[in-house]
Amino acid sequence: MINKALGMVEYQTVSAGITAADLMIKTANIEILQATVICPGKYITLISGELSAISAAIDAAKVQFGDKLTDSFVLGNPHEDIFPAIYGGANVENAKALGILETFSTPAIIVAADAAAKTSDVTLIELRIARGMGGKSYMLLTGDVAAVSAAIESARLKVGEDGLLLDSSVIPNPDKSLWASIM
């Protein structure tokens, strides 16, 4: 997976989402990592492959089904912490400060996480992609207070440009019982 690009589309309807996924597969040599319905009845497709293939696939889906598109992204060199955080396999041995950021879309949280992880020395703990969140998403990350603050600010700026930022916070020293419930 390393050195591969990532792309994602989020559609307002299941029918547009599934049809767009089919179009993306037929347009370029990509791998579907996730294609699923999310609340409230939207459809997401997360794809991986070479940057040119991802760009072609996402562009084709945006052109053909743009009227139903909620959000999308193409990342040429995603941070390696994104994959374990998406799939719940992040290994955090020394949790420190806690950073939390919420977005209105699923693509926005991955873009925010990539910006945060590339800004400073933090570890992505989890990317909750719309599961049980009414279409919203959030990320959790940890590191030193200054690193977490810088990462969250970078992510805020990145997704705030598109109006997709919902909320964020930094907790300098979370209680151990809170960490136990998160990890």
Side-chain angles (χ1 to χ4, degrees), residues 11 20-23 56 63 82 88 93 111 118 147 179:
Y11 282 95
D22 181 64
L23 174 65
V63 166
I82 287 178
E93 295 184 15
V111 170
K118 288 177 177 175
W179 278 122

Side-chain angles (χ1 to χ4, degrees), residues 97-169:
L98 176 63
I100 308 144
L101 186 126
E102 293 176 76
T103 62
F104 286 110
S105 78
T106 55
I109 202 62
I110 296 174
V111 170
D114 187 60
K118 288 177 177 175
T119 296
S120 56
D121 187 18
V122 295
T123 301
L124 296 174
I125 299 170
E126 179 182 7
L127 295 179
R128 176 67 59 98
I129 301 177
R131 293 182 312 263
M133 303 243 340
K136 300 183 306 179
S137 295
Y138 72 86
M139 72 172 170
L140 302 175
L141 56 85
T142 189
D144 293 331
V145 175
V148 168
S149 296
I152 291 295
E153 183 58 24
S154 176
R156 285 179 59 83
L157 291 172
K158 186 71 174 174
V159 296
E161 294 170 357
D162 297 325
L164 295 171
L165 175 67
L166 179 60
D167 199 8
S168 68
S169 61

Side-chain angles (χ1 to χ4, degrees), residues 6-150:
L6 277 182
M8 179 182 255
V9 289
E10 178 183 286
Y11 282 95
Q12 298 167 5
T13 67
V14 174
S15 59
I18 292 173
T19 308
D22 181 64
L23 174 65
M24 289 189 298
I25 294 166
K26 291 175 178 173
T27 298
N29 183 19
I30 59 156
E31 176 185 357
I32 291 184
L33 300 177
Q34 184 176 13
T36 190
V37 175
I38 60 169
C39 292
K42 297 191 283 184
Y43 197 87
I44 60 169
T45 304
L46 178 64
I47 59 176
S48 177
E50 298 302 318
L51 181 57
S52 59
I54 295 298
S55 294
I58 297 289
D59 287 347
K62 287 168 67 174
V63 166
Q64 186 71 28
F65 303 100
D67 61 328
K68 301 272 194 279
L69 183 71
T70 304
D71 195 11
S72 66
F73 74 79
V74 172
L75 288 176
N77 185 23
H79 192 277
E80 69 232 15
D81 281 1
I82 287 178
F83 299 104
I86 288 173
Y87 298 113
N91 183 17
V92 179
E93 295 184 15
N94 190 15
K96 297 177 183 174
L98 176 63
I100 308 144
L101 186 126
E102 293 176 76
T103 62
F104 286 110
S105 78
T106 55
I109 202 62
I110 296 174
V111 170
D114 187 60
K118 288 177 177 175
T119 296
S120 56
D121 187 18
V122 295
T123 301
L124 296 174
I125 299 170
E126 179 182 7
L127 295 179
R128 176 67 59 98
I129 301 177
R131 293 182 312 263
M133 303 243 340
K136 300 183 306 179
S137 295
Y138 72 86
M139 72 172 170
L140 302 175
L141 56 85
T142 189
D144 293 331
V145 175
V148 168
S149 296

